[in-house]
Amino acid sequence: MKDTTSRLTRAERLDRLPFTREHGRLVVGSGMGWALDAMDVGLISFVMTALVAQWGLSNGEVSLIGSIGFVGMALGATLGGLLADRYGRRQVFALTLLVFGVATGAAALSWSVGALLVFRFLIGLGLGAELPVASTLVSEFAPARVRGRVVVLLEAFWAVGWTLAALIGYFVVPSSDDGWRWALAIGAVPALYAVVVRRGLPESVRFLELRGRTEEAEATVRRFERSADVEPVPSPPPAPPARPARVGALWAAGTGSRTAALWVVWFSINFAYYGAFIWLPTLLFNDGFSLVKSFQYTLIITLAQLPGYAVAAYLIEKWGRRPTLATFLVGSAVGAGMFAAAEADTAILVTGMVLSFFNLGAWGALYAVTPEIYPTALRATGAGAAAGFGRIASIIAPLCVPLLVDTGGTGLVFGVFAAFFLLAAVAALGLPELRGQALDQGVAHGPTSAPRAR
């Protein structure tokens, strides 16, 4: 009988590695797409404000422009997760970025509100599939002891993209009547480059093993081991190839409660975040700030996202996923409540920064915990379904803002957002704490998880 005491599975071999140059390439390559996504979502908030002034749009038309992209994102997130579990993470990456880049360029040529709505839907389709697939791939390569921190680092690219959007919005959009068109065109160019970069990223080792592609999986693991200057060790034969899991497995005994808690968090944070930040420049403009001043305030508030991610990245491995997520959601609720009561210019700026700091830290923690709670065959599907359900809230929220403003002004708007943040914090307590634990490789992993897909 052969001695197998020194054998490690390929997943264990990845988990034993330090953070290497290959991990860095993976995070940056995935993060570029993430930043582009954020830049697009951020830019539309400035474009909306410019079109109110230029095209004389009603609040209803502005709401449709803000929401239609999220209709595409909801569909894209759900389909993207399913496709990633069936065909691979990397392949879905390239397709989503290509759709996003082409549609963004076309949106810059929009000749009417209807045309802009069509292009915004297609942009959302690409964006929606991108985010959960990216976080799934990165989480499947990151060593267990720093996995949460690495995924938060990936999510921090969102702040980079939103900051770029704020800079473009501040300097480009108000520069001329066609400023908003140039802003969208700028967002399309790097997306095409990102498609090329993504082609050099590795496919998930866990996915490859699940599909019986062991030679590719072994080559990928050795690539990361060479980067860490670690000698490879033999791996035992993998389990037989498994068929893709079905969506119904998300609600199987032992997994359904996790899915329910996760979906409530995703829905609530989407409602509050997108309702607030998509409308923020327009709300400031409607409250009497000039176009340039509203953009300037939004830029400064956006910059507070970066330290929020940094603190969340530290705490997620120090405190754990669940307490970090819940704490930042409560902080978001406090920030929204303070913003609701703010009247002076300085108070608006400071409370907006508090909201931005905590809200984006919460997003980082949420993206870290989401892929962890499902086994490999269900991971991208679970992450995509949660994101897709959350996008329903991002569709509804921009449509609700005008009604809330008419009823009780900006104070009521942000008071409602604070309530949603608190709801998300409560739901977060129902998520499992998996800090430092290896990702579940199989489809079935005991009584607290999904059964093997049939």
Side-chain angles (χ1 to χ4, degrees), residues 184-232:
L184 292 176
I186 290 171
V189 173
L192 302 179
Y193 173 69
V195 173
V196 178
V197 172
R198 283 289 174 82
R199 293 180 65 85
L201 297 182
E203 181 56 271
S204 165
V205 171
R206 290 170 167 85
F207 170 81
L208 291 172
E209 286 197 328
L210 213 60
R211 294 294 173 270
R213 295 157 62 180
T214 54
E215 291 185 5
E216 294 175 67
E218 179 65 24
T220 300
V221 173
R222 287 177 180 255
R223 170 178 161 183
F224 276 75
E225 288 174 331
R226 284 194 301 271
S227 180
D229 198 23
V230 170
E231 281 294 321

mmCIF file of all heavy atoms in Angstrom, residues 184-232:
data_model
loop_
_atom_site.group_PDB
_atom_site.id
_atom_site.type_symbol
_atom_site.label_atom_id
_atom_site.label_comp_id
_atom_site.label_asym_id
_atom_site.label_seq_id
_atom_site.Cartn_x
_atom_site.Cartn_y
_atom_site.Cartn_z
ATOM 1 N N LEU A 184 -19.220 58.631 -20.692
ATOM 2 C CA LEU A 184 -19.549 57.232 -20.982
ATOM 3 C C LEU A 184 -18.533 56.616 -21.946
ATOM 4 O O LEU A 184 -18.172 55.442 -21.808
ATOM 5 C CB LEU A 184 -20.954 57.137 -21.572
ATOM 6 C CG LEU A 184 -22.106 57.472 -20.616
ATOM 7 C CD1 LEU A 184 -23.439 57.426 -21.352
ATOM 8 C CD2 LEU A 184 -22.130 56.511 -19.434
ATOM 9 N N ALA A 185 -18.072 57.391 -22.902
ATOM 10 C CA ALA A 185 -17.078 56.876 -23.845
ATOM 11 C C ALA A 185 -15.781 56.522 -23.129
ATOM 12 O O ALA A 185 -15.144 55.503 -23.429
ATOM 13 C CB ALA A 185 -16.820 57.907 -24.938
ATOM 14 N N ILE A 186 -15.377 57.340 -22.183
ATOM 15 C CA ILE A 186 -14.169 57.056 -21.400
ATOM 16 C C ILE A 186 -14.318 55.733 -20.657
ATOM 17 O O ILE A 186 -13.382 54.944 -20.550
ATOM 18 C CB ILE A 186 -13.890 58.214 -20.410
ATOM 19 C CG1 ILE A 186 -13.444 59.463 -21.177
ATOM 20 C CG2 ILE A 186 -12.816 57.809 -19.392
ATOM 21 C CD1 ILE A 186 -13.360 60.706 -20.309
ATOM 22 N N GLY A 187 -15.519 55.463 -20.150
ATOM 23 C CA GLY A 187 -15.748 54.224 -19.417
ATOM 24 C C GLY A 187 -15.702 52.984 -20.285
ATOM 25 O O GLY A 187 -15.460 51.875 -19.790
ATOM 26 N N ALA A 188 -15.899 53.140 -21.601
ATOM 27 C CA ALA A 188 -15.934 51.973 -22.487
ATOM 28 C C ALA A 188 -14.551 51.506 -22.898
ATOM 29 O O ALA A 188 -14.315 50.308 -23.057
ATOM 30 C CB ALA A 188 -16.750 52.310 -23.737
ATOM 31 N N VAL A 189 -13.608 52.433 -23.043
ATOM 32 C CA VAL A 189 -12.298 52.085 -23.611
ATOM 33 C C VAL A 189 -11.534 51.068 -22.768
ATOM 34 O O VAL A 189 -11.092 50.025 -23.281
ATOM 35 C CB VAL A 189 -11.459 53.359 -23.833
ATOM 36 C CG1 VAL A 189 -10.042 52.992 -24.266
ATOM 37 C CG2 VAL A 189 -12.121 54.249 -24.873
ATOM 38 N N PRO A 190 -11.344 51.300 -21.444
ATOM 39 C CA PRO A 190 -10.567 50.328 -20.672
ATOM 40 C C PRO A 190 -11.237 48.974 -20.525
ATOM 41 O O PRO A 190 -10.565 47.980 -20.223
ATOM 42 C CB PRO A 190 -10.392 51.009 -19.307
ATOM 43 C CG PRO A 190 -11.480 52.018 -19.231
ATOM 44 C CD PRO A 190 -11.729 52.460 -20.626
ATOM 45 N N ALA A 191 -12.542 48.893 -20.721
ATOM 46 C CA ALA A 191 -13.233 47.609 -20.599
ATOM 47 C C ALA A 191 -12.731 46.627 -21.643
ATOM 48 O O ALA A 191 -12.584 45.432 -21.366
ATOM 49 C CB ALA A 191 -14.736 47.807 -20.748
ATOM 50 N N LEU A 192 -12.443 47.105 -22.835
ATOM 51 C CA LEU A 192 -11.954 46.228 -23.897
ATOM 52 C C LEU A 192 -10.556 45.713 -23.562
ATOM 53 O O LEU A 192 -10.209 44.566 -23.854
ATOM 54 C CB LEU A 192 -11.955 46.980 -25.227
ATOM 55 C CG LEU A 192 -13.326 47.531 -25.645
ATOM 56 C CD1 LEU A 192 -13.225 48.286 -26.966
ATOM 57 C CD2 LEU A 192 -14.330 46.383 -25.771
ATOM 58 N N TYR A 193 -9.742 46.561 -22.925
ATOM 59 C CA TYR A 193 -8.413 46.117 -22.487
ATOM 60 C C TYR A 193 -8.529 45.074 -21.392
ATOM 61 O O TYR A 193 -7.765 44.107 -21.346
ATOM 62 C CB TYR A 193 -7.607 47.314 -21.994
ATOM 63 C CG TYR A 193 -6.290 46.929 -21.358
ATOM 64 C CD1 TYR A 193 -5.259 46.402 -22.131
ATOM 65 C CD2 TYR A 193 -6.076 47.089 -19.995
ATOM 66 C CE1 TYR A 193 -4.054 46.048 -21.560
ATOM 67 C CE2 TYR A 193 -4.879 46.739 -19.415
ATOM 68 C CZ TYR A 193 -3.870 46.221 -20.196
ATOM 69 O OH TYR A 193 -2.674 45.858 -19.630
ATOM 70 N N ALA A 194 -9.505 45.249 -20.502
ATOM 71 C CA ALA A 194 -9.681 44.304 -19.399
ATOM 72 C C ALA A 194 -10.022 42.909 -19.910
ATOM 73 O O ALA A 194 -9.659 41.909 -19.287
ATOM 74 C CB ALA A 194 -10.784 44.795 -18.454
ATOM 75 N N VAL A 195 -10.714 42.822 -21.041
ATOM 76 C CA VAL A 195 -11.022 41.509 -21.618
ATOM 77 C C VAL A 195 -9.739 40.769 -21.952
ATOM 78 O O VAL A 195 -9.599 39.565 -21.701
ATOM 79 C CB VAL A 195 -11.896 41.664 -22.886
ATOM 80 C CG1 VAL A 195 -12.071 40.327 -23.577
ATOM 81 C CG2 VAL A 195 -13.255 42.253 -22.523
ATOM 82 N N VAL A 196 -8.759 41.481 -22.501
ATOM 83 C CA VAL A 196 -7.472 40.874 -22.847
ATOM 84 C C VAL A 196 -6.751 40.406 -21.584
ATOM 85 O O VAL A 196 -6.201 39.298 -21.538
ATOM 86 C CB VAL A 196 -6.600 41.881 -23.629
ATOM 87 C CG1 VAL A 196 -5.237 41.269 -23.940
ATOM 88 C CG2 VAL A 196 -7.304 42.313 -24.904
ATOM 89 N N VAL A 197 -6.760 41.248 -20.553
ATOM 90 C CA VAL A 197 -6.094 40.892 -19.299
ATOM 91 C C VAL A 197 -6.721 39.642 -18.700
ATOM 92 O O VAL A 197 -6.027 38.735 -18.213
ATOM 93 C CB VAL A 197 -6.172 42.065 -18.303
ATOM 94 C CG1 VAL A 197 -5.650 41.646 -16.932
ATOM 95 C CG2 VAL A 197 -5.380 43.251 -18.825
ATOM 96 N N ARG A 198 -8.032 39.559 -18.740
ATOM 97 C CA ARG A 198 -8.726 38.433 -18.127
ATOM 98 C C ARG A 198 -8.353 37.095 -18.764
ATOM 99 O O ARG A 198 -8.406 36.064 -18.125
ATOM 100 C CB ARG A 198 -10.238 38.640 -18.234
ATOM 101 C CG ARG A 198 -10.766 39.649 -17.235
ATOM 102 C CD ARG A 198 -10.724 39.066 -15.830
ATOM 103 N NE ARG A 198 -11.087 40.064 -14.852
ATOM 104 C CZ ARG A 198 -12.337 40.390 -14.546
ATOM 105 N NH1 ARG A 198 -13.326 39.803 -15.166
ATOM 106 N NH2 ARG A 198 -12.572 41.292 -13.631
ATOM 107 N N ARG A 199 -7.969 37.115 -20.033
ATOM 108 C CA ARG A 199 -7.641 35.870 -20.710
ATOM 109 C C ARG A 199 -6.414 35.209 -20.102
ATOM 110 O O ARG A 199 -6.196 34.004 -20.264
ATOM 111 C CB ARG A 199 -7.434 36.115 -22.207
ATOM 112 C CG ARG A 199 -8.694 36.528 -22.940
ATOM 113 C CD ARG A 199 -8.414 36.756 -24.425
ATOM 114 N NE ARG A 199 -8.020 35.524 -25.094
ATOM 115 C CZ ARG A 199 -8.864 34.639 -25.591
ATOM 116 N NH1 ARG A 199 -10.163 34.839 -25.490
ATOM 117 N NH2 ARG A 199 -8.424 33.554 -26.199
ATOM 118 N N GLY A 200 -5.591 35.977 -19.387
ATOM 119 C CA GLY A 200 -4.413 35.422 -18.753
ATOM 120 C C GLY A 200 -4.653 34.924 -17.346
ATOM 121 O O GLY A 200 -3.739 34.388 -16.713
ATOM 122 N N LEU A 201 -5.868 35.057 -16.837
ATOM 123 C CA LEU A 201 -6.176 34.613 -15.485
ATOM 124 C C LEU A 201 -6.439 33.101 -15.467
ATOM 125 O O LEU A 201 -6.923 32.538 -16.442
ATOM 126 C CB LEU A 201 -7.404 35.353 -14.943
ATOM 127 C CG LEU A 201 -7.260 36.874 -14.798
ATOM 128 C CD1 LEU A 201 -8.527 37.456 -14.198
ATOM 129 C CD2 LEU A 201 -6.050 37.233 -13.951
ATOM 130 N N PRO A 202 -6.151 32.457 -14.345
ATOM 131 C CA PRO A 202 -6.371 31.005 -14.265
ATOM 132 C C PRO A 202 -7.836 30.658 -14.034
ATOM 133 O O PRO A 202 -8.593 31.467 -13.489
ATOM 134 C CB PRO A 202 -5.526 30.608 -13.047
ATOM 135 C CG PRO A 202 -5.559 31.828 -12.168
ATOM 136 C CD PRO A 202 -5.536 33.000 -13.112
ATOM 137 N N GLU A 203 -8.195 29.457 -14.441
ATOM 138 C CA GLU A 203 -9.519 28.937 -14.116
ATOM 139 C C GLU A 203 -9.458 28.336 -12.718
ATOM 140 O O GLU A 203 -8.417 27.873 -12.259
ATOM 141 C CB GLU A 203 -9.938 27.880 -15.138
ATOM 142 C CG GLU A 203 -11.315 27.271 -14.916
ATOM 143 C CD GLU A 203 -12.416 28.313 -14.855
ATOM 144 O OE1 GLU A 203 -12.691 28.803 -13.737
ATOM 145 O OE2 GLU A 203 -12.988 28.635 -15.900
ATOM 146 N N SER A 204 -10.583 28.358 -12.023
ATOM 147 C CA SER A 204 -10.667 27.823 -10.662
ATOM 148 C C SER A 204 -10.251 26.353 -10.614
ATOM 149 O O SER A 204 -10.772 25.523 -11.362
ATOM 150 C CB SER A 204 -12.100 27.965 -10.141
ATOM 151 O OG SER A 204 -12.297 27.178 -8.991
ATOM 152 N N VAL A 205 -9.291 26.043 -9.725
ATOM 153 C CA VAL A 205 -8.845 24.663 -9.557
ATOM 154 C C VAL A 205 -9.992 23.793 -9.063
ATOM 155 O O VAL A 205 -10.176 22.660 -9.514
ATOM 156 C CB VAL A 205 -7.659 24.606 -8.566
ATOM 157 C CG1 VAL A 205 -7.321 23.157 -8.191
ATOM 158 C CG2 VAL A 205 -6.442 25.295 -9.177
ATOM 159 N N ARG A 206 -10.772 24.309 -8.156
ATOM 160 C CA ARG A 206 -11.900 23.542 -7.611
ATOM 161 C C ARG A 206 -12.916 23.225 -8.701
ATOM 162 O O ARG A 206 -13.472 22.132 -8.763
ATOM 163 C CB ARG A 206 -12.543 24.312 -6.455
ATOM 164 C CG ARG A 206 -11.664 24.370 -5.210
ATOM 165 C CD ARG A 206 -12.254 25.344 -4.191
ATOM 166 N NE ARG A 206 -11.626 25.208 -2.878
ATOM 167 C CZ ARG A 206 -10.497 25.826 -2.521
ATOM 168 N NH1 ARG A 206 -9.892 26.622 -3.384
ATOM 169 N NH2 ARG A 206 -9.989 25.664 -1.317
ATOM 170 N N PHE A 207 -13.170 24.205 -9.575
ATOM 171 C CA PHE A 207 -14.093 23.967 -10.686
ATOM 172 C C PHE A 207 -13.526 22.915 -11.643
ATOM 173 O O PHE A 207 -14.248 22.015 -12.087
ATOM 174 C CB PHE A 207 -14.355 25.269 -11.447
ATOM 175 C CG PHE A 207 -15.107 25.079 -12.735
ATOM 176 C CD1 PHE A 207 -16.482 24.944 -12.735
ATOM 177 C CD2 PHE A 207 -14.427 24.998 -13.950
ATOM 178 C CE1 PHE A 207 -17.183 24.742 -13.934
ATOM 179 C CE2 PHE A 207 -15.111 24.804 -15.136
ATOM 180 C CZ PHE A 207 -16.494 24.670 -15.124
ATOM 181 N N LEU A 208 -12.236 23.024 -11.965
ATOM 182 C CA LEU A 208 -11.618 22.073 -12.893
ATOM 183 C C LEU A 208 -11.695 20.651 -12.353
ATOM 184 O O LEU A 208 -11.992 19.707 -13.100
ATOM 185 C CB LEU A 208 -10.160 22.471 -13.134
ATOM 186 C CG LEU A 208 -9.932 23.765 -13.928
ATOM 187 C CD1 LEU A 208 -8.460 24.135 -13.927
ATOM 188 C CD2 LEU A 208 -10.456 23.625 -15.360
ATOM 189 N N GLU A 209 -11.434 20.472 -11.065
ATOM 190 C CA GLU A 209 -11.519 19.132 -10.482
ATOM 191 C C GLU A 209 -12.942 18.605 -10.509
ATOM 192 O O GLU A 209 -13.177 17.412 -10.741
ATOM 193 C CB GLU A 209 -10.982 19.154 -9.056
ATOM 194 C CG GLU A 209 -9.479 19.259 -8.976
ATOM 195 C CD GLU A 209 -8.948 18.881 -7.608
ATOM 196 O OE1 GLU A 209 -9.652 19.113 -6.603
ATOM 197 O OE2 GLU A 209 -7.834 18.341 -7.543
ATOM 198 N N LEU A 210 -13.879 19.486 -10.265
ATOM 199 C CA LEU A 210 -15.274 19.073 -10.256
ATOM 200 C C LEU A 210 -15.720 18.586 -11.637
ATOM 201 O O LEU A 210 -16.620 17.759 -11.754
ATOM 202 C CB LEU A 210 -16.152 20.244 -9.807
ATOM 203 C CG LEU A 210 -17.417 19.925 -9.008
ATOM 204 C CD1 LEU A 210 -17.078 19.189 -7.717
ATOM 205 C CD2 LEU A 210 -18.179 21.204 -8.704
ATOM 206 N N ARG A 211 -15.051 19.097 -12.672
ATOM 207 C CA ARG A 211 -15.376 18.692 -14.041
ATOM 208 C C ARG A 211 -14.449 17.596 -14.557
ATOM 209 O O ARG A 211 -14.471 17.263 -15.738
ATOM 210 C CB ARG A 211 -15.309 19.910 -14.970
ATOM 211 C CG ARG A 211 -16.373 20.957 -14.678
ATOM 212 C CD ARG A 211 -17.772 20.411 -14.984
ATOM 213 N NE ARG A 211 -18.793 21.334 -14.551
ATOM 214 C CZ ARG A 211 -19.340 21.319 -13.347
ATOM 215 N NH1 ARG A 211 -18.963 20.418 -12.452
ATOM 216 N NH2 ARG A 211 -20.273 22.191 -13.011
ATOM 217 N N GLY A 212 -13.583 17.074 -13.702
ATOM 218 C CA GLY A 212 -12.688 16.003 -14.103
ATOM 219 C C GLY A 212 -11.494 16.454 -14.916
ATOM 220 O O GLY A 212 -10.795 15.623 -15.511
ATOM 221 N N ARG A 213 -11.196 17.734 -14.960
ATOM 222 C CA ARG A 213 -10.074 18.265 -15.739
ATOM 223 C C ARG A 213 -8.844 18.363 -14.838
ATOM 224 O O ARG A 213 -8.340 19.438 -14.532
ATOM 225 C CB ARG A 213 -10.464 19.619 -16.346
ATOM 226 C CG ARG A 213 -11.592 19.495 -17.367
ATOM 227 C CD ARG A 213 -12.384 20.777 -17.572
ATOM 228 N NE ARG A 213 -11.575 21.871 -18.080
ATOM 229 C CZ ARG A 213 -12.062 23.090 -18.330
ATOM 230 N NH1 ARG A 213 -13.369 23.334 -18.139
ATOM 231 N NH2 ARG A 213 -11.283 24.055 -18.764
ATOM 232 N N THR A 214 -8.373 17.211 -14.381
ATOM 233 C CA THR A 214 -7.335 17.169 -13.343
ATOM 234 C C THR A 214 -5.980 17.657 -13.848
ATOM 235 O O THR A 214 -5.211 18.239 -13.072
ATOM 236 C CB THR A 214 -7.190 15.737 -12.798
ATOM 237 O OG1 THR A 214 -6.952 14.839 -13.896
ATOM 238 C CG2 THR A 214 -8.451 15.306 -12.084
ATOM 239 N N GLU A 215 -5.650 17.426 -15.106
ATOM 240 C CA GLU A 215 -4.355 17.886 -15.612
ATOM 241 C C GLU A 215 -4.273 19.411 -15.607
ATOM 242 O O GLU A 215 -3.246 19.989 -15.227
ATOM 243 C CB GLU A 215 -4.121 17.346 -17.027
ATOM 244 C CG GLU A 215 -3.900 15.837 -17.078
ATOM 245 C CD GLU A 215 -3.562 15.361 -18.482
ATOM 246 O OE1 GLU A 215 -3.421 16.231 -19.381
ATOM 247 O OE2 GLU A 215 -3.438 14.149 -18.677
ATOM 248 N N GLU A 216 -5.357 20.065 -16.019
ATOM 249 C CA GLU A 216 -5.395 21.525 -15.974
ATOM 250 C C GLU A 216 -5.330 22.024 -14.537
ATOM 251 O O GLU A 216 -4.648 23.018 -14.241
ATOM 252 C CB GLU A 216 -6.668 22.041 -16.639
ATOM 253 C CG GLU A 216 -6.770 21.774 -18.126
ATOM 254 C CD GLU A 216 -8.111 22.211 -18.673
ATOM 255 O OE1 GLU A 216 -8.371 23.434 -18.692
ATOM 256 O OE2 GLU A 216 -8.906 21.343 -19.076
ATOM 257 N N ALA A 217 -6.037 21.341 -13.643
ATOM 258 C CA ALA A 217 -6.028 21.736 -12.239
ATOM 259 C C ALA A 217 -4.625 21.624 -11.646
ATOM 260 O O ALA A 217 -4.155 22.522 -10.935
ATOM 261 C CB ALA A 217 -7.011 20.880 -11.447
ATOM 262 N N GLU A 218 -3.940 20.511 -11.942
ATOM 263 C CA GLU A 218 -2.591 20.306 -11.433
ATOM 264 C C GLU A 218 -1.635 21.369 -11.972
ATOM 265 O O GLU A 218 -0.802 21.910 -11.226
ATOM 266 C CB GLU A 218 -2.096 18.903 -11.806
ATOM 267 C CG GLU A 218 -0.686 18.581 -11.342
ATOM 268 C CD GLU A 218 -0.555 18.542 -9.832
ATOM 269 O OE1 GLU A 218 -1.574 18.312 -9.144
ATOM 270 O OE2 GLU A 218 0.580 18.731 -9.341
ATOM 271 N N ALA A 219 -1.743 21.684 -13.246
ATOM 272 C CA ALA A 219 -0.865 22.699 -13.844
ATOM 273 C C ALA A 219 -1.078 24.065 -13.188
ATOM 274 O O ALA A 219 -0.115 24.814 -12.953
ATOM 275 C CB ALA A 219 -1.127 22.782 -15.348
ATOM 276 N N THR A 220 -2.317 24.379 -12.871
ATOM 277 C CA THR A 220 -2.611 25.666 -12.240
ATOM 278 C C THR A 220 -2.049 25.729 -10.823
ATOM 279 O O THR A 220 -1.459 26.734 -10.412
ATOM 280 C CB THR A 220 -4.128 25.914 -12.220
ATOM 281 O OG1 THR A 220 -4.629 25.914 -13.562
ATOM 282 C CG2 THR A 220 -4.457 27.242 -11.566
ATOM 283 N N VAL A 221 -2.220 24.643 -10.058
ATOM 284 C CA VAL A 221 -1.677 24.614 -8.704
ATOM 285 C C VAL A 221 -0.160 24.762 -8.731
ATOM 286 O O VAL A 221 0.436 25.514 -7.940
ATOM 287 C CB VAL A 221 -2.079 23.313 -7.978
ATOM 288 C CG1 VAL A 221 -1.360 23.202 -6.633
ATOM 289 C CG2 VAL A 221 -3.579 23.273 -7.770
ATOM 290 N N ARG A 222 0.489 24.056 -9.646
ATOM 291 C CA ARG A 222 1.948 24.140 -9.747
ATOM 292 C C ARG A 222 2.390 25.552 -10.140
ATOM 293 O O ARG A 222 3.450 26.019 -9.713
ATOM 294 C CB ARG A 222 2.471 23.112 -10.752
ATOM 295 C CG ARG A 222 2.412 21.685 -10.217
ATOM 296 C CD ARG A 222 2.868 20.665 -11.238
ATOM 297 N NE ARG A 222 2.797 19.329 -10.676
ATOM 298 C CZ ARG A 222 3.860 18.614 -10.283
ATOM 299 N NH1 ARG A 222 5.083 19.125 -10.382
ATOM 300 N NH2 ARG A 222 3.711 17.396 -9.786
ATOM 301 N N ARG A 223 1.602 26.219 -10.937
ATOM 302 C CA ARG A 223 1.905 27.606 -11.304
ATOM 303 C C ARG A 223 1.944 28.496 -10.060
ATOM 304 O O ARG A 223 2.859 29.316 -9.908
ATOM 305 C CB ARG A 223 0.849 28.102 -12.294
ATOM 306 C CG ARG A 223 0.861 29.587 -12.607
ATOM 307 C CD ARG A 223 -0.213 29.876 -13.648
ATOM 308 N NE ARG A 223 -0.596 31.260 -13.708
ATOM 309 C CZ ARG A 223 -1.559 31.745 -14.514
ATOM 310 N NH1 ARG A 223 -2.214 30.917 -15.315
ATOM 311 N NH2 ARG A 223 -1.858 33.026 -14.525
ATOM 312 N N PHE A 224 0.993 28.315 -9.164
ATOM 313 C CA PHE A 224 0.970 29.097 -7.930
ATOM 314 C C PHE A 224 2.078 28.648 -6.977
ATOM 315 O O PHE A 224 2.665 29.472 -6.267
ATOM 316 C CB PHE A 224 -0.404 28.991 -7.265
ATOM 317 C CG PHE A 224 -1.409 29.960 -7.810
ATOM 318 C CD1 PHE A 224 -1.993 29.764 -9.054
ATOM 319 C CD2 PHE A 224 -1.785 31.082 -7.091
ATOM 320 C CE1 PHE A 224 -2.905 30.661 -9.575
ATOM 321 C CE2 PHE A 224 -2.697 31.994 -7.587
ATOM 322 C CZ PHE A 224 -3.266 31.788 -8.841
ATOM 323 N N GLU A 225 2.371 27.353 -6.932
ATOM 324 C CA GLU A 225 3.447 26.861 -6.069
ATOM 325 C C GLU A 225 4.809 27.387 -6.531
ATOM 326 O O GLU A 225 5.659 27.748 -5.703
ATOM 327 C CB GLU A 225 3.440 25.330 -6.049
ATOM 328 C CG GLU A 225 2.267 24.754 -5.258
ATOM 329 C CD GLU A 225 2.167 23.245 -5.352
ATOM 330 O OE1 GLU A 225 2.597 22.673 -6.387
ATOM 331 O OE2 GLU A 225 1.645 22.632 -4.406
ATOM 332 N N ARG A 226 5.030 27.448 -7.846
ATOM 333 C CA ARG A 226 6.282 28.020 -8.352
ATOM 334 C C ARG A 226 6.412 29.478 -7.957
ATOM 335 O O ARG A 226 7.502 29.945 -7.602
ATOM 336 C CB ARG A 226 6.343 27.884 -9.878
ATOM 337 C CG ARG A 226 6.659 26.488 -10.375
ATOM 338 C CD ARG A 226 7.050 26.520 -11.857
ATOM 339 N NE ARG A 226 5.986 27.075 -12.693
ATOM 340 C CZ ARG A 226 5.020 26.357 -13.241
ATOM 341 N NH1 ARG A 226 4.939 25.044 -13.005
ATOM 342 N NH2 ARG A 226 4.107 26.924 -13.998
ATOM 343 N N SER A 227 5.307 30.191 -7.992
ATOM 344 C CA SER A 227 5.331 31.600 -7.610
ATOM 345 C C SER A 227 5.719 31.777 -6.145
ATOM 346 O O SER A 227 6.357 32.764 -5.778
ATOM 347 C CB SER A 227 3.956 32.228 -7.867
ATOM 348 O OG SER A 227 3.938 33.593 -7.516
ATOM 349 N N ALA A 228 5.348 30.794 -5.306
ATOM 350 C CA ALA A 228 5.676 30.849 -3.880
ATOM 351 C C ALA A 228 6.977 30.128 -3.551
ATOM 352 O O ALA A 228 7.381 30.084 -2.385
ATOM 353 C CB ALA A 228 4.533 30.234 -3.072
ATOM 354 N N ASP A 229 7.623 29.540 -4.582
ATOM 355 C CA ASP A 229 8.845 28.754 -4.382
ATOM 356 C C ASP A 229 8.605 27.611 -3.400
ATOM 357 O O ASP A 229 9.393 27.359 -2.490
ATOM 358 C CB ASP A 229 9.981 29.653 -3.881
ATOM 359 C CG ASP A 229 11.348 29.004 -4.086
ATOM 360 O OD1 ASP A 229 11.458 28.118 -4.959
ATOM 361 O OD2 ASP A 229 12.293 29.360 -3.350
ATOM 362 N N VAL A 230 7.476 26.913 -3.593
ATOM 363 C CA VAL A 230 7.085 25.790 -2.742
ATOM 364 C C VAL A 230 7.132 24.515 -3.573
ATOM 365 O O VAL A 230 6.634 24.484 -4.704
ATOM 366 C CB VAL A 230 5.670 26.000 -2.155
ATOM 367 C CG1 VAL A 230 5.165 24.736 -1.472
ATOM 368 C CG2 VAL A 230 5.672 27.166 -1.179
ATOM 369 N N GLU A 231 7.721 23.476 -3.004
ATOM 370 C CA GLU A 231 7.795 22.194 -3.697
ATOM 371 C C GLU A 231 6.415 21.537 -3.742
ATOM 372 O O GLU A 231 5.722 21.461 -2.723
ATOM 373 C CB GLU A 231 8.771 21.258 -2.984
ATOM 374 C CG GLU A 231 10.230 21.544 -3.273
ATOM 375 C CD GLU A 231 10.606 21.273 -4.722
ATOM 376 O OE1 GLU A 231 10.104 20.266 -5.289
ATOM 377 O OE2 GLU A 231 11.350 22.078 -5.299
ATOM 378 N N PRO A 232 5.991 21.057 -4.907
ATOM 379 C CA PRO A 232 4.690 20.378 -4.983
ATOM 380 C C PRO A 232 4.741 19.028 -4.271
ATOM 381 O O PRO A 232 5.799 18.418 -4.159
ATOM 382 C CB PRO A 232 4.467 20.202 -6.482
ATOM 383 C CG PRO A 232 5.827 20.228 -7.080
ATOM 384 C CD PRO A 232 6.646 21.140 -6.223
#
